[in-house]
Amino acid sequence: MPSDTAADAPVTTEELTGFLRDMLLIRRFEEKAGQLYGMGLIGGFCHLYIGQEAVVTGLSAAARPLDRSITSYRSHGHLLACGVPPAAIMAELTGRASGLSGGKGGSMHMAAPERGFFGGHAIVGAQVPIGAGLAFADRYAGEDRVSFVYYGDGAAQQGQIAETYALAQMWNLPMVFVIENNRTASPGSPKQVELTALAAAHGIASEVVDGMDVLAVRQAGRRAAQRCRAGRGPALLEMRTHRYRGHSLADPAGQHSRDDTRRIRAERDPVEHVRRRLRDRGTGEDTLKRIDDAVREEIAEAARLARDAPEPRDDSLFDHLAMVQE
Amino acid sequence: MSVAAKTGAGLVQITVPDLPGGAAEAVLERWHVGPGDQVTPEDVVAEVTVGRIRIEIEAGHSGLVEHLLAQAKGAVIAPGAPIAVIAARGEPDARREMSPLRAAAAPCPDLAEPPRPFRSPAAGAAPPPEPDETARVSMRDALRGALVAEMRADDSVLVLGENAAEQGGAYKVLQGLADMFGPRRVVDTPRLLQGVAGLAIGAAFAGLRPVVELRSFSLALQMIEQIVHSAAKTHYVTAGALHCPVVFRGPTGLAARSGAQHSQDVAALFARIPGLSVVQPSDAGDAGGLLRAAIRAPGPVIFLEHELLYGSDAPAPAQDAPLPRIGAARLLREGKDVTIAAIGLGVRHALDAAHALEADGISAEVIDLRSLRPLDSASVIQSVRKTGRCVTVEEGNPVGSIGDHLAGILMREAFDWLDAPVISCTNADVPMPYAANLEQLAQVGVTDVIAAARAVAYR
């Protein structure tokens, strides 16, 4: 895809500081969730986003306020990136009434449509055709919106994703397919094919992006979104990223080797990458520490609230089920 | 297949042959010939469809095509109805005499009359009412009318389906909609069922009210993951943050000689899923209102239409009739000895059985359940308190049937009023076989219902 001046606009120190704060919020949130999981306060599935923070942070910066997004079960980072308070997410993880889904969804089932985020979907790949539906609705209503639809390298070879490529291309849907390729598709997955080639077979333009570099992500996101807004149809971004933790806390399968992760963490960590840039611009250690401290405090408070909040009332069991008109 | 009926003056009519499964009507798809074309007996002159079955009609006679009686693609035609007239070879005078312009002077008055068996659903018109007869509506027209009304009332309502615009969809329910609303709101989809299901659900999350038409509900089994997880459950697990007002509608149930994978009833399968509503009209008079209610419902609705009922008709409801409430059963016939609670085509069996039982002195009350989720068990309980006996009728397989579910409810909540065990009449516990005799054996019918009613009445 051709680059342009808007997409390649230089980053300001203020923006870099914002990226650092946003990525640290995800990092510290996930670390805390891991702790609470270990303490038995979070049950079942809990898929952490540590290592992939630059992807959702960069694309959120590329998106406009009314744009939409949707993702899989690995959704905490996306919820934080669209501005949901950490306490509401953490309380959902602990299954409390003050959780974003009233304690009925858990880690994989949260949505904030008023912020443009449409979930949190627990079945691998299911969110991709749904994401096309968001874009379809916008095209139908003539809304100038782009839908960012996230999925992993495991889902990327599914039949329903191929079907969605075909539908998106046929109807020229304003959507950006975002493959978060952490190269850890569950064991037994077919040997990885070139994922962009699967989309190219349907005529969808794509780009491979360094998903550990928030600026590269933002620039690619702007190019893809511009393409959609210009009515030139869907685009695909393959984000090469690296997840530090296992598939889920209950299922560490698909983890990279410890050496691998240590090396990548040292050389390519997305948070460190931004810190380094800020240091290069003369931001002092005090300022950097203040940002981290404020985030740690916010997350500690969220965890405290999530521990102390009451469980949902028994009589909420049948809420949100009466789907026919009385 | 061909039927050529001899008429006077060297003219022959080409008529619609008997249709598979004894179907009462077929839909004209296309003509292969036009007036003036020379045909031989084995030439295919037209194609019609009965459900998914495509039938070629042969000329059956040599000669020149005089004129076509059913012009419009989508015209509904009955077996035995003439569709074209051909002049037998070597009788050109007769051909001239029978030209449409001079039809009034033609020597065959029966041919000159307007082709009564035809009506064009594209025109949206039911046949003109006979004197002293209330207006009637076919199931197909009632469903189309409901879609038109809701699409006119609300721009967020749209229809997606295979050949929705091109060919008027399954059983021509969508005939003419594309002309009225255009391709934005009547959307042809490819047969990418998981993709289309997810897309419709996403569009509903984003505020549209999509109506997805399936060529057959058997295809919904390729969509079932999205329907069960994304449509049914998301509202609950997001504590109401996401709404999914989508309707999946299309033919289900026995489709004559279509085999195990296209002839099946999926009602009970979907009725097990909390978060869905599951609706099945049993007659044309109720179908339109139920579909309108389904489109307006705040959550996902599985709307099941019986394959064999599209051509059936019933008195048209009044324009201002209130919409039925999804979740309310309908009392169709009062009785005092046995309650027959039925679904879809089973309601026909129940009414026929009630009629037959009357001759034996057994008075049957017939309830059309019409909504399987929510299930109006209260109405059935109320009826059983009067009759003390209950028989259920549905086309699904017996395991996990609606009937057995209802029987369990009655055992728990109406035990003291029951004078006999509840009998659930269902299809046999086999995939639907193809052979005509086996198919007959596998499907629930009126004799099963009569036998069950006698058994619970100890008669």
Side-chain angles (χ1 to χ4, degrees), chain A residues 101 126 133 140 163 317 323-324, chain B residues 155 184 195 199 226 236-237 277 298:
Chain A
S101 298
Y140 183 89
E163 293 188 9
L317 181 63
M323 294 301 288
V324 294
Chain B
D155 185 65
R184 172 173 167 266
L199 183 140
Q226 287 286 2
Y236 184 84
V237 296
S277 300

Side-chain angles (χ1 to χ4, degrees), chain B residues 277-294:
Chain B
S277 300
V278 182
V279 175
Q280 184 167 16
S282 70
D283 70 46
D286 203 29
L290 277 176
L291 182 54
R292 293 185 68 177

Side-chain angles (χ1 to χ4, degrees), chain B residues 273-319:
Chain B
I273 309 301
L276 292 179
S277 300
V278 182
V279 175
Q280 184 167 16
S282 70
D283 70 46
D286 203 29
L290 277 176
L291 182 54
R292 293 185 68 177
I295 293 169
R296 293 183 189 188
V301 181
I302 301 296
F303 194 90
L304 304 165
E305 300 157 8
H306 200 284
E307 299 255 3
L308 301 183
L309 291 179
Y310 283 105
S312 69
D313 65 2
Q319 288 289 327

Side-chain angles (χ1 to χ4, degrees), chain B residues 148-457:
Chain B
V148 169
E150 292 305 307
M151 289 176 79
R152 282 197 178 129
D154 182 352
D155 185 65
S156 66
V157 179
L158 73 156
V159 174
L160 300 124
E162 282 179 59
N163 305 315
E166 275 288 299
Q167 294 175 19
Y171 290 93
K172 305 297 172 189
V173 168
L174 308 178
Q175 188 92 44
L177 249 63
D179 293 338
M180 296 175 75
F181 296 104
R184 172 173 167 266
R185 300 184 67 193
V186 182
V187 183
D188 276 332
T189 67
R191 188 170 281 190
L192 301 175
L193 296 162
Q194 259 185 306
V196 169
L199 183 140
I201 289 163
F205 286 163
L208 301 187
R209 306 183 86 82
V211 179
V212 180
E213 178 181 279
L214 301 171
R215 293 298 274 189
S216 154
F217 249 95
S218 294
L219 299 173
L221 300 195
Q222 286 198 338
M223 297 178 154
I224 200 164
E225 194 281 309
Q226 287 286 2
I227 293 174
V228 170
H229 288 134
S230 306
K233 298 186 178 181
T234 304
H235 183 73
Y236 184 84
V237 296
T238 61
L242 295 179
H243 296 262
C244 193
V246 63
V247 176
F248 291 92
R249 55 155 290 271
T252 188
L254 176 78
R257 309 296 302 281
S258 296
Q261 295 179 1
H262 275 90
S263 183
Q264 63 183 323
D265 179 286
V266 297
L269 195 62
F270 285 106
R272 297 200 66 238
I273 309 301
L276 292 179
S277 300
V278 182
V279 175
Q280 184 167 16
S282 70
D283 70 46
D286 203 29
L290 277 176
L291 182 54
R292 293 185 68 177
I295 293 169
R296 293 183 189 188
V301 181
I302 301 296
F303 194 90
L304 304 165
E305 300 157 8
H306 200 284
E307 299 255 3
L308 301 183
L309 291 179
Y310 283 105
S312 69
D313 65 2
Q319 288 289 327
D320 55 354
L323 295 188
R325 183 170 64 82
I326 292 177
R330 199 165 58 130
L331 180 65
L332 290 184
R333 179 191 164 111
E334 288 198 68
K336 57 184 176 51
D337 297 328
V338 56
T339 300
I340 308 180
I343 302 158
L345 193 69
V347 175
R348 294 293 179 99
H349 301 328
L351 288 169
D352 290 347
H355 184 71
L357 289 162
E358 199 171 16
D360 295 347
I362 298 175
S363 160
E365 180 148 304
V366 176
I367 293 175
D368 176 5
L369 290 169
R370 70 181 177 167
S371 164
L372 311 180
R373 174 179 278 276
L375 183 66
D376 186 3
S377 52
S379 288
V380 181
I381 290 170
Q382 194 186 342
S383 173
V384 166
R385 285 182 170 202
K386 178 172 63 172
T387 63
R389 297 168 167 89
C390 184
V391 167
T392 66
V393 194
E394 71 196 284
E395 275 193 332
N397 298 115
V399 177
S401 65
I402 300 293
D404 281 4
H405 174 58
L406 201 48
I409 293 173
L410 290 171
M411 185 182 70
R412 289 186 295 276
E413 298 183 23
F415 189 76
D416 292 341
W417 285 276
L418 281 174
D419 294 326
V422 177
I423 296 182
S424 308
C425 298
T426 66
N427 280 6
D429 202 11
V430 295
M432 184 58 72
Y434 167 73
N437 63 323
L438 296 180
E439 185 183 61
Q440 189 70 34
L441 282 172
Q443 59 182 281
V444 65
V446 65
T447 52
D448 302 306
V449 183
I450 292 170
R454 285 203 178 115
V456 297

